[in-house]
Amino acid sequence: NFTFFPGNPKWSKFNLTYRTTRMPLFVSVGTNAFKQALSNAFNAWGENNSFTFTETTGQADIVVGFHRGFHFDFYPFDGPGGVLAHAFAPEDGRNHLDADENWSTTGTPPTIDLETVSLHEIGHNMGLAHSNDPNAVMAPTYTGVRRDLTQDDKDGLNNLY
Ligand code: TQI
Ligand code: CA
Ligand code: ZN
Ligand code: ZN
């Protein structure tokens, strides 16, 4: 089942904005594909509930970007493999993708599906921790392309808010 972070941190509003930071040139997906994957992932989390997610270029609640190695938080990335991404609990909004992964928009092994990982990380941004339901997007293991929220993921969000 779904779980939350200690103290159940959550957003105090339902209309959230997000922005992307500039992509490193060596990342194997383009800016447009990145934005499309994110748009799909945010839309999934906003379905059948009160949340809206709007992309902006100004100040944003959730900031999504690629980073490599040490990047000025307590969780340096580790190169190809290992940790793929991380995101912080509300109302922080940082959402970091490891620029050293073999990202794609298809998830064909051995590539990592950008939309699948974004969907999972946005769940963390919303206040969901890991689920012990192995089929949930918030399950703690990457098992390939998974672009649809399960009932467990939706129940988690609806229980928190
Ligand atoms: N990154 C971890 C994750 O997002 C980082 C992490 C570990 C974490 N424990 C946490 C983040 C607790 C927030 C709260 O889960 S990961 C998957 C999945 C990772 C894993 O690289 O291990 C996905 C990133 F679920 F597939 F295993 C994205 Cl989708
Ligand atoms: Ca890594
Ligand atoms: Zn980080
Ligand atoms: Zn996770």
Side-chain angles (χ1 to χ4, degrees):
N1 257 350
F2 56 80
T3 63
F4 308 130
F5 293 104
N8 300 350
K10 60 181 202 166
W11 294 94
S12 53
K13 57 186 177 181
F14 287 105
N15 297 130
L16 298 174
T17 56
Y18 71 93
R19 72 176 173 89
T20 58
T21 58
R22 191 189 306 275
M23 288 186 80
L25 288 170
F26 60 85
V27 173
S28 48
V29 295
T31 302
N32 290 337
F34 176 37
K35 290 194 180 224
Q36 186 61 54
L38 276 184
S39 168
N40 294 345
F42 277 111
N43 282 341
W45 282 112
E47 248 171 47
N48 304 314
N49 58 45
S50 303
F51 282 104
T52 65
F53 300 97
T54 310
E55 189 179 3
T56 176
T57 53
Q59 191 278 331
D61 299 307
I62 298 174
V63 180
V64 190
F66 290 88
H67 303 269
R68 187 178 220 179
F70 176 74
H71 55 279
F72 307 101
D73 60 26
F74 285 110
Y75 310 95
F77 282 133
D78 53 2
V83 174
L84 308 172
H86 56 229
F88 293 72
E91 296 181 273
D92 181 299
R94 283 175 288 176
N95 182 319
H96 296 165
L97 299 155
D98 188 344
D100 283 327
E101 302 303 335
N102 189 358
W103 297 107
S104 78
T105 55
T106 61
T108 309
T111 71
I112 307 288
D113 186 50
L114 186 55
E115 185 174 329
T116 299
V117 172
S118 296
L119 194 61
H120 179 95
E121 297 305 328
I122 291 166
H124 288 317
N125 285 130
M126 296 309 293
L128 298 181
H130 285 149
S131 175
N132 56 28
D133 177 342
N135 296 315
V137 163
M138 295 317 295
T141 41
Y142 179 87
T143 54
V145 177
R146 186 162 51 196
R147 297 179 177 178
D148 295 304
L149 299 180
T150 64
Q151 196 58 46
D152 180 68
D153 299 306
K154 298 175 193 176
D155 289 349
L157 194 72
N158 288 336
N159 266 267
L160 183 57
Y161 292 94

